[in-house]
Amino acid sequence: MTDEPRALALMLPPWAVVSPGRVEHILRVVALVDDWARTRALGGGEVGRWIRAAALHDALRDADDAVLARYAPQGEWPRKLWHGPAAAAAAALHGEKDEGVLNAVRYHSVGFTGWDDVGKALYLADYLEPGRDHEREASAALADRVPRELEAVLREVAAQRIGHLVATGKRIGKETWAFWNRLAADA
């Protein structure tokens, strides 16, 4: 995977609304999932699925409310989380047929009980990408373990993310609770 922004621009759909900083984040997420998929020796088709999900996940993160609402009803989710469902709906409208990719994009911020490895990898890469400010050494150590220990790292990261929501008094949505309960049951 190249680190050049123009390479990502070729992967981003024409309907994407992203700032230059968001492009940099998406590039780091794409590079991380690409590395994990190749380290796991996944076939080219599966690597492509991981990369498509990573490229699409924040494609509408910088869109305004009207654009987001055009693609997907927002329901009970806070404004900060609208971009996932909207990007998944836009991707489907514009030809993405892979439900695993669409579910990865739709739920990448909250977790989802029905994910295949594409969703799990995207959830982790979005949180562990090296441009994030939180606990860089610990995040890098977790990221290094993902190709060998996807499920274990997924539980650790979900616990961190949910713990942060609890510690800051934020609401935990039903999708996130269901996701955690599935991870706990599978442990």
Side-chain angles (χ1 to χ4, degrees):
M1 185 75 218
T2 179
D3 286 333
E4 295 181 32
R6 71 173 183 263
L8 179 63
L10 296 175
M11 294 176 7
L12 284 173
W15 47 263
V17 180
V18 292
S19 67
R22 187 74 51 206
V23 169
E24 293 302 318
H25 162 71
I26 295 170
L27 272 171
R28 290 187 300 267
V29 173
V30 167
L32 197 51
V33 299
D34 181 52
D35 179 60
W36 292 342
R38 293 179 191 285
T39 299
R40 291 178 66 144
L42 300 179
E46 190 67 5
V47 173
R49 293 179 71 230
W50 288 37
I51 289 171
R52 283 197 325 275
L56 291 168
H57 86 283
D58 274 356
L60 290 176
R61 183 67 174 92
D62 298 320
D64 63 29
D65 292 0
V67 169
L68 295 171
R70 180 178 340 137
Y71 288 111
Q74 308 313 320
E76 300 174 9
W77 289 23
R79 163 67 174 87
K80 182 178 176 180
L81 302 178
W82 292 0
H83 67 284
L93 183 67
H94 291 93
E96 179 61 59
K97 304 253 187 272
D98 187 315
E99 281 300 315
V101 169
L102 295 171
N103 283 330
V105 173
R106 183 177 295 115
Y107 297 108
H108 76 272
S109 298
V110 298
F112 180 60
T113 60
W115 271 337
D116 60 13
D117 285 351
V118 173
K120 296 170 185 178
L122 178 57
Y123 179 84
L124 292 172
D126 190 38
Y127 183 74
L128 297 173
E129 65 95 342
R132 297 282 191 188
D133 289 332
H134 60 273
E135 303 180 22
R136 287 184 185 206
E137 282 186 32
S139 292
L142 286 167
D144 286 343
R145 291 176 42 214
V146 168
R148 298 176 316 281
E149 304 174 53
L150 180 71
E151 298 295 331
V153 176
L154 185 63
R155 279 189 298 279
E156 290 176 51
V157 167
Q160 286 178 16
R161 292 180 73 172
I162 293 166
H164 176 75
L165 293 173
V166 170
T168 57
K170 293 192 173 122
R171 182 182 164 280
I172 300 173
K174 63 184 177 191
E175 295 86 359
T176 303
W177 276 124
F179 175 59
W180 175 253
N181 286 334
R182 170 63 59 90
L183 291 174
D186 292 345

